[in-house]
Amino acid sequence: MQPKEYILMSSPSHEQLRTAILDLFYETVSRYPPPYAPGPEPAGDPPYRLGDYLIYQGYLSPRSLTSAINEAQAQPTPTRKTSPLGVTLVNRYNIPGPVLAVTLLLQTLDRLEQTPNLPPHFMGEQLLREAALSPEQLAVVLEEQVEDYGQGQWRRLGDLIANHGWLDAETLSAAVQAVRHAE
């Protein structure tokens, strides 16, 4: 199953990012084949919602997505009204962590390519735009964040990145400020 074709960006760094994310996608699909037939292409323009990508790729059925959304909304935590959908999908609906991470990267790629002039929504997206972090590194820490949350711990992405030694506090702080400024 191939991801939907993406609009090519003119910048070589965008093309390199696109290639890296798609290569990671293909490697992940090879390691974790989807259990379902690919679903229909999501309606409208990308970026799509997380569940739409997973249905389209064949990792989730529409019925399972509806159940997962209802379940995630029914699991409040002290700091959130609902549980993150990705955590519910990994912990209860057998979506492999690497598949979730690469799907989030595809969503980010779509956002970057479809609306390149809009500011980033998340710190990871900002770090990818700056080429401060590779897609592979971001995928690793996204997987760790979901795994930790599933075990009752919420760790900030910046803390996970710093623990790996990939970026210093100053770089992480600047990325957080860039995202906050954009909001």
Side-chain angles (χ1 to χ4, degrees):
M1 149 85 207
Q2 294 186 11
K4 186 174 182 177
E5 277 304 308
Y6 298 96
I7 297 171
L8 293 177
M9 303 293 285
S10 58
S11 167
S13 63
H14 281 100
E15 185 58 32
Q16 291 169 344
L17 179 61
R18 179 185 190 278
T19 299
I21 290 173
L22 292 177
D23 286 349
L24 187 58
F25 170 79
Y26 293 124
E27 290 171 22
T28 303
V29 169
S30 294
R31 285 191 351 226
Y32 304 95
Y36 302 102
E41 185 174 323
D45 293 328
Y48 307 113
R49 296 175 303 176
L50 176 62
D52 293 333
Y53 285 97
L54 292 169
I55 290 171
Y56 179 58
Q57 295 166 0
Y59 286 100
L60 196 62
S61 71
R63 174 180 268 168
S64 294
L65 175 60
T66 300
S67 295
I69 289 169
N70 292 334
E71 188 174 325
Q73 291 173 346
Q75 294 178 359
T77 66
T79 58
R80 293 184 169 199
K81 292 183 181 176
T82 61
S83 178
L85 177 61
V87 172
T88 301
L89 291 170
V90 168
N91 291 332
R92 305 263 300 139
Y93 290 85
N94 299 319
I95 300 296
V99 168
L100 177 68
V102 79
T103 302
L104 292 170
L105 289 171
L106 287 173
Q107 187 180 46
T108 297
L109 179 63
D110 274 346
R111 191 170 24 260
L112 291 171
E113 292 184 343
Q114 295 298 317
T115 55
N117 296 326
L118 286 180
H121 286 92
F122 306 103
M123 183 179 67
E125 184 178 332
Q126 177 69 26
L127 293 169
L128 286 176
R129 283 182 183 213
E130 295 173 355
L133 202 63
S134 72
E136 294 83 1
Q137 290 170 320
L138 183 55
V140 166
V141 292
L142 287 170
E143 288 175 53
E144 289 174 355
Q145 191 177 47
V146 168
E147 184 178 312
D148 289 349
Y149 191 92
Q151 296 174 2
Q153 300 175 329
W154 181 254
R155 293 175 52 195
R156 295 180 309 169
L157 203 61
D159 292 340
L160 294 167
I161 293 167
N163 287 344
H164 283 278
W166 293 328
L167 298 174
D168 60 30
E170 185 177 318
T171 304
L172 291 167
S173 219
V176 169
Q177 290 306 316
V179 172
R180 285 185 182 158
H181 183 265
E183 293 173 348

